[in-house]
Amino acid sequence: MLTRGSNRKVDYDKEINNTDYQVVLTGNPNVGKSTVFNAITGMKQHTGNWTGKTVECASGRAKINDKVFSFIDLPGTYSILSFSKEEAVAADYLMHNETDCAIIVIDANVIERNLSFALQILSIVKNAVLCLNLCDQAKKNGIIIDTEELAKNLGIPVIATCATKCNGLEELEQTVYDICVGNIKCFHIDELFKNIDISHKDKYKENAELFKKQSIRICKKCVTYNKSELNRNTRRLDKILTSKSTGIPIMLLLFAFLFWITAIGANYPSMWLSNGFEWLKEQLYIFMDFVNAPEFLRGILIDGVYTTLTWVISVMLPPMAIFFPLFSLLEDSGYLPRIAFNLDKFFAKCGAHGKQSLTMAMGIGCNACGVTGCRIIESPQERLIAVLTNNFMPCNGRFPMLIAIIMMFFAGTSMTFGSSVLTAVILLAIIAFCVIVTLIVSKILSLTLAKGTQSSFALELPPYRKPQILRTIVRSFLDRTIFVLGRAVAVAAPAGALIWILANVYVNDCSLLSYCTEFLDPFGKFIGLDGTIIMAFILGFPANETVIPVIIMSYMASGTLMEYSGYDQLLTLFTANGWTITTAICIIIMCIMHYPCSTTVLTIKKETKSLKWTLVSMILPTVIGIILCMITANVMRLFL
């Protein structure tokens, strides 16, 4: 019987010492290892870093029958040959720590390759159980595995599971218990390892081929491959989606479609939220009048903090609530690894990692999420490059500004089908430009600040799956949308107060905001902008969504953030203040190439644990944006 405790903070070493047995979970990435770990330990878990390492680890406790077990979730690795930091940590732990049992989690769909890794583990540990996960999908794919014959050949118990449905997990728990208390004896057949020298870790490189041959030999005895319609469909799709001629064009069309849905779909909920917040704002005014609140307090709380917060929520929430679930559905369907496969050769030439393409795609939803997603890149050098360049991908907070500028100056202000399609195409072209800049900057970083040895790239191409739509949408909304929105709101509140103070505190009949914009105006015009736009970007550091409202407020000298009622009125206001096609192009450049928002900066600091790299991540895009704006403005002045 398995019992679970409530979530709490624990001391990692103390937790292990106070348990009866210690069990480690190990396996390749994307085999369901963490799902197994979460199911066994429930809420009684602790996450931290390995001592002296930046590699994250998870530990947990569970009571099985009458004994208390500690479970250590080792980093997912493709090998224990120490190609990456995670692999080095996993191999080092297994070689130098006594464990009572190891749960080796493998994917039944790719058993031959995963079994080679399992044999590596068996050459180190004494007691183990093989968790043959994703057996339901393997059966659909026409893969029949004789678990009894497999157990006989390995000399350890083999348990078939489907962790997402909790099938087989009780039998796995009982098997772990029986191994630890001595009810089951594990015996590794000497023939498996008679030619393998494990006296030193480096010897594994000489024996990798032997593990592979042993895996093939065992699979011939235990595994039957039947023809499967799913296998045929996967191969057919891969011929199209990973083809040199069609893979990238299809990817671009797919993302253009996602952008179009996000841009069009977010309009209505944004409008509803905005109207709802405006109604509530009027009620707050009435309440402030009722309690005779001072004008200053009313201004800073309602016109400053409240207005900024509601702008961020109404502009930021709908695109995230649309884009993140769509992105997660692509992830669950098995398509995202194909994107990394298609783009890997370009990133490899730039000294970067193919998985960086996935983190860039996440950055389109939110740069903070994109930076966090860089954890999937094993090499520290390539992970750093991905972190430093993620901000070159415009997040959803910058999309409203980009869409507004595109529609006013390039696609037309009417919300027709043709206008929306042209907007999506131009937006896709901007994203393509951002990708090119990212590749160039990645190459420069790989040769200078982030110089190092390029890692190998082992990429899993999982079978296509039917996404669990409702579960994916809920998980994406809670784990990504609400989490990122919460961070944005936390930094937007003080920013709203600061903006209101600058706009409403006067010195010699001129607001502090006006002094700032006048001071920045010569520099702004030199790079194709003006002082108001530069100041709006500075004040938009907590949240990019406030840039356009600050510009409107400054031009109208209203002293409070303003909402525009339509692109026509906004275009009239901007052109009256000197905006031209040159201004529009330069503001697009500056929008996609300036320092990250405060939420992303905090995330970068947390991920890199370095003030130096955090500052580099802010300075790098800003300097590039200023240089490109300066070149664009001065070139266009020669022809216009």
Side-chain angles (χ1 to χ4, degrees):
M1 180 66 182
L2 175 69
T3 59
R4 301 177 177 88
S6 59
N7 193 21
R8 62 183 178 85
K9 291 186 177 180
V10 297
D11 182 84
Y12 178 66
D13 294 326
K14 182 179 178 181
E15 179 178 351
I16 293 176
N17 294 331
N18 289 345
T19 54
D20 296 303
Y21 298 103
Q22 182 179 336
V23 181
V24 297
L25 288 90
T26 183
N28 290 172
N30 304 315
V31 296
K33 179 171 60 67
S34 295
T35 306
V36 174
F37 172 76
N38 291 335
I40 293 176
T41 59
M43 294 296 293
K44 205 166 189 179
Q45 301 169 5
H46 173 68
T47 301
N49 285 336
W50 297 95
T51 304
K53 307 284 185 181
T54 58
V55 176
E56 193 173 84
C57 67
S59 64
R61 299 178 69 188
K63 186 176 182 181
I64 305 176
N65 298 332
D66 58 339
K67 301 295 182 181
V68 179
F69 292 73
S70 67
F71 290 86
I72 314 299
D73 188 13
L74 295 178
T77 61
Y78 288 104
S79 170
I80 57 172
L81 304 183
S82 301
F83 289 128
S84 70
K85 184 180 293 186
E86 285 78 3
E87 289 166 345
V89 165
D92 187 67
Y93 186 89
L94 290 167
M95 289 180 176
H96 298 101
N97 290 271
E98 289 291 332
T99 58
D100 298 294
C101 181
I103 300 176
I104 308 171
V105 185
I106 70 172
D107 184 350
N109 295 279
V110 284
I111 183 172
E112 187 176 292
R113 191 194 67 239
N114 276 200
L115 201 57
S116 176
F117 173 78
L119 292 174
Q120 294 180 40
I121 301 301
L122 290 179
S123 68
I124 300 175
V125 302
K126 180 194 294 187
N127 296 323
V129 54
L130 188 72
C131 176
L132 196 61
N133 198 30
L134 301 172
C135 285
D136 56 335
Q137 293 179 11
K139 186 176 181 180
K140 291 179 181 178
N141 287 331
I143 303 173
I144 309 300
I145 302 172
D146 187 339
T147 54
E148 292 184 4
E149 183 66 23
L150 183 58
K152 180 180 176 182
N153 278 268
L154 294 177
I156 62 172
V158 176
I159 308 298
T161 66
C162 176
T164 55
K165 299 178 182 178
C166 294
N167 294 339
L169 292 184
E170 287 190 7
E171 184 181 357
L172 176 65
E173 294 157 4
Q174 185 61 44
T175 302
V176 169
Y177 174 87
D178 289 337
I179 290 175
C180 289
V181 300
N183 295 338
I184 294 178
K185 299 294 184 181
C186 297
F187 61 95
H188 303 166
I189 300 175
D190 293 338
E191 187 179 294
L192 285 175
F193 310 113
K194 65 181 181 180
N195 295 321
I196 298 176
D197 180 5
I198 61 171
S199 60
H200 193 275
K201 186 165 54 177
D202 291 339
K203 294 288 185 181
Y204 275 102
K205 297 183 179 180
E206 303 171 9
N207 297 308
E209 198 63 33
L210 291 175
F211 285 121
K212 184 178 179 181
K213 289 179 179 179
Q214 292 281 20
S215 174
I216 294 173
R217 183 184 63 80
I218 294 173
C219 285
K220 285 181 178 179
K221 295 181 180 180
C222 309
V223 184
T224 303
Y225 296 92
N226 297 326
K227 290 185 177 180
S228 166
E229 186 64 27
L230 286 174
N231 277 334
R232 284 195 293 269
N233 291 337
T234 295
R235 288 193 294 268
R236 288 170 185 168
L237 283 173
D238 277 344
K239 286 182 179 179
I240 299 172
L241 298 179
T242 62
S243 167
K244 292 182 180 179
S245 57
T246 60
I248 292 180
I250 290 176
M251 178 192 71
L252 293 175
L253 288 174
L254 183 59
F255 273 101
F257 181 65
L258 290 184
F259 296 149
W260 180 71
I261 291 179
T262 302
I264 298 301
N267 284 334
Y268 296 104
S270 286
M271 180 179 65
W272 297 333
L273 284 172
S274 180
N275 292 338
F277 286 134
E278 193 63 29
W279 176 85
L280 183 57
K281 186 176 182 178
E282 294 298 325
Q283 308 312 306
L284 291 175
Y285 280 139
I286 295 173
F287 175 76
M288 285 293 186
D289 290 337
F290 176 76
V291 297
N292 294 318
E295 190 68 26
F296 176 82
L297 185 64
R298 165 178 165 161
I300 198 169
L301 291 181
I302 300 180
D303 296 331
V305 174
Y306 175 83
T307 303
T308 303
L309 286 177
T310 55
W311 255 97
V312 170
I313 294 172
S314 60
V315 173
M316 195 174 181
L317 178 59
M320 283 197 302
I322 294 173
F323 182 84
F324 279 150
L326 291 176
F327 184 84
S328 296
L329 289 174
L330 283 181
E331 187 177 11
D332 287 356
S333 70
Y335 178 65
L336 285 189
R338 273 79 182 177
I339 295 178
F341 177 83
N342 291 332
L343 297 178
D344 178 55
K345 59 183 177 181
F346 300 107
F347 285 94
K349 291 180 180 178
C350 297
H353 200 285
K355 291 181 182 178
Q356 185 174 336
S357 60
L358 303 183
T359 65
M360 290 166 61
M362 294 175 66
I364 294 174
C366 173
N367 292 128
C369 282
V371 170
T372 303
C374 293
R375 295 174 183 176
I376 66 176
I377 300 175
E378 293 84 2
S379 165
Q381 169 237 349
E382 292 165 343
R383 188 187 308 127
L384 178 61
I385 292 175
V387 168
L388 295 179
T389 58
N390 191 269
N391 187 62
F392 288 111
M393 302 305 295
C395 64
N396 69 79
R398 289 179 269 181
F399 277 144
M401 188 194 316
L402 291 172
I403 292 172
I405 301 301
I406 291 170
M407 296 195 70
M408 285 188 293
F409 288 91
F410 302 102
T413 56
S414 58
M415 293 295 295
T416 62
F417 176 78
S419 176
S420 63
V421 170
L422 181 56
T423 300
V425 171
I426 296 175
L427 194 58
L428 181 63
I430 292 173
I431 299 297
F433 172 73
C434 293
V435 172
I436 293 172
V437 173
T438 300
L439 290 172
I440 294 173
V441 175
S442 296
K443 181 64 175 179
I444 296 172
L445 288 173
S446 69
L447 297 174
T448 55
L449 296 177
K451 189 175 181 179
T453 303
Q454 192 168 1
S455 68
S456 58
F457 184 20
L459 178 65
E460 180 92 32
L461 287 182
Y464 295 98
R465 306 184 183 101
K466 182 180 178 181
Q468 298 175 308
I469 297 177
L470 183 60
R471 180 180 177 182
T472 299
I473 291 175
V474 172
R475 187 192 72 227
S476 174
F477 186 79
L478 295 177
D479 293 349
R480 293 179 175 176
T481 304
I482 297 300
F483 174 73
V484 174
L485 184 65
R487 282 186 173 183
V489 165
V491 296
L498 175 62
I499 293 171
W500 187 89
I501 291 172
L502 290 174
N504 289 274
V505 174
Y506 283 75
V507 177
N508 297 328
D509 297 326
C510 189
S511 69
L512 296 178
L513 183 60
S514 297
Y515 280 115
C516 294
T517 57
E518 289 176 6
F519 174 77
L520 295 170
D521 201 55
F523 171 73
K525 289 182 176 177
F526 177 70
I527 63 172
L529 304 172
D530 62 26
T532 297
I533 299 172
I534 298 294
M535 192 61 194
F537 275 109
I538 294 174
L539 293 176
F541 172 66
N544 289 295
E545 294 80 4
T546 62
V547 172
I548 289 290
V550 171
I551 293 174
I552 299 172
M553 178 184 70
S554 299
Y555 285 153
M556 299 182 70
S558 61
T560 183
L561 294 178
M562 299 292 293
E563 181 178 1
Y564 51 90
S565 57
Y567 290 129
D568 289 326
Q569 295 89 335
L570 193 58
L571 179 60
T572 301
L573 174 65
F574 287 166
T575 53
N577 284 273
W579 282 39
T580 63
I581 293 292
T582 301
T583 312
I585 295 175
C586 288
I587 200 172
I588 287 175
I589 293 173
M590 187 55 65
C591 178
I592 61 179
M593 302 209 179
H594 70 285
Y595 45 79
C597 70
S598 57
T599 304
T600 306
V601 169
L602 292 174
T603 305
I604 293 172
K605 178 61 171 62
K606 180 181 178 182
E607 293 299 313
T608 63
K609 295 178 173 60
S610 168
L611 179 60
K612 168 191 169 182
W613 294 122
T614 304
L615 293 175
V616 169
S617 72
M618 298 176 67
I619 296 171
L620 185 64
T622 306
V623 170
I624 293 175
I626 290 173
I627 293 173
L628 289 178
C629 282
M630 181 179 63
I631 294 173
T632 301
N634 286 282
V635 168
M636 293 194 71
R637 286 178 185 132
L638 296 175
F639 298 98
L640 296 178

